[in-house]
Amino acid sequence: MAEARAPQESEVTGVLSFLDKYLRPGTGWSIAAEYPHVFTSGNLANLRIIEDAGQVLAHAAIKYLILKTHVGLFKVAAIGSVLTDPAHRNQGLSRQILDSCLIAANEQCADFAILWTDQYDLYRKMGFELAGREISVVIDEVPALPPSSIRILKSNKVSAEAILRVYQSHPCGTIRNTEDIWRNLQIPNSNVYTAWGADNQLLAYAVEGKGADLKGYVHEWGGSAQHLLPLLAQIRKDFGQPITIIMPASAQNLVRQLVELKARPHTDGFLGMIRPVNYQGLFAKVIRRARQIGLNDFVIEKTVDGFIVGSKNDTVKLSTPQELTRLFFGPHPDGSLKPEYEELFPIELWVWGWDSV
Ligand SMILES: CC(C)(COP(=O)(O)OP(=O)(O)OC[C@H]1O[C@@H](n2cnc3c(N)ncnc32)[C@H](O)[C@@H]1OP(=O)(O)O)[C@@H](O)C(=O)NCCC(=O)NCCS
């Protein structure tokens, strides 16, 4: 059996039929339409397959994202479409594929890898841990709002430039351009709602559903709470059932206003499963931030059997990448973080739904 490698252009059709057969049976669209930035010729070098006699047996994809945070930019390897042919499972193929992805991500100087899964134990074995904070708010009933003059449109035929302008006001998220947004607007099974002012200015947008996933979830939105509330009310009305809004921990104002309208918040979510990749690069960014906020003797180092972190004369030892991930990105159980590090950690990360792979 061959080693994990990137597919050639001529193999892409075979890779997509393998993925569609097991991951998207009977949907009527290819997984490539759902992840328009992943299965492009420009991203081919970041896919990994194991094949035997021309048959694809296992696959995983990386899409590199540049993430804006209050600490600065992070390069992130988002990993997805992890699949092994049912007849070849439990033979270590996924482990080989993921190892290959992590080696590639290190070579590409990614600070950390992220993936979205419900198979926590499998990925914990590979050094990933649930981390980052996510709030989800359930809107059970159509909220009663005062009349408003904004015009609401349910259509994906909207200006990518206008959406980009609103998106860019988020303090956290990936760096995107108009082309990225345009491609996202084409994702199947996705309802795009926009709110327009009297002067045809885009005020807010919100997206429910994404391909086979996220039905009933608003995973991507932008604009101020004042303009988002009527949009979310409209989505809840059209959907005919409770909807869930997914949001970063920083969206306190929107959460508060939704709660006033009787929505139910859940604050115990995670952004995804995360694993540090390039320790040197990641540590350099954290140390730079520590210095900026006056923690002049903050140290963090990799040792032969773990990590040491703290101030020069008072360090603690962390044994696993999972502990490091939780320290960096939270959530931290109450009282578990030393007060002097409360300004440094957690590093608030957020990846909007259009960027999940
Ligand atoms: C999940 C999946 C990719 C695993 O592929 P695989 O090639 O059988 O995995 P491997 O044989 O490399 O196993 C890797 C490790 O994970 C463990 N593992 C495999 N499946 C697991 C599961 N469902 N839950 C927990 N651990 C699991 C194995 O025991 C092995 O551990 P070990 O190295 O300590 O022995 C495969 O079952 C699959 O394609 N499932 C359907 C698609 C899917 O769910 N993809 C993941 C979405 S994120």
Side-chain angles (χ1 to χ4, degrees), residues 82 84 89-95 117 119 122-123 125:
V82 181
T84 297
R89 289 188 184 161
N90 294 313
Q91 297 170 14
L93 296 190
S94 265
R95 184 177 276 273
T117 181
Q119 306 205 24
L122 189 160
Y123 290 105
K125 284 184 177 174

Side-chain angles (χ1 to χ4, degrees), residues 164-195:
L164 184 63
R165 257 194 307 279
V166 176
Y167 174 78
Q168 282 171 338
S169 62
H170 283 307
C172 285
T174 57
I175 305 288
R176 294 174 176 166
N177 59 29
T178 314
E179 165 79 14
D180 296 330
I181 304 269
W182 185 86
R183 288 187 188 205
N184 290 331
L185 286 167
Q186 317 308 316
I187 294 175
N189 239 19
S190 185
N191 293 305
V192 179
Y193 286 77
T194 42

Side-chain angles (χ1 to χ4, degrees), residues 135-158:
I135 302 179
S136 56
V137 179
V138 180
I139 304 180
D140 289 305
E141 304 294 337
V142 180
L145 294 170
S148 135
S149 62
I150 65 169
R151 191 164 57 86
I152 293 179
L153 200 64
K154 179 188 178 188
S155 169
N156 63 350
K157 293 189 175 32
V158 287

Side-chain angles (χ1 to χ4, degrees), residues 22-23 58-59 79-86 88-96 115-123 125-126:
Y22 295 111
L23 297 180
H59 169 273
I79 298 178
S81 301
V82 181
L83 174 69
T84 297
D85 184 304
H88 292 84
R89 289 188 184 161
N90 294 313
Q91 297 170 14
L93 296 190
S94 265
R95 184 177 276 273
Q96 269 186 59
L115 49 81
W116 292 273
T117 181
D118 53 6
Q119 306 205 24
Y120 307 138
D121 291 341
L122 189 160
Y123 290 105
K125 284 184 177 174
M126 302 187 200

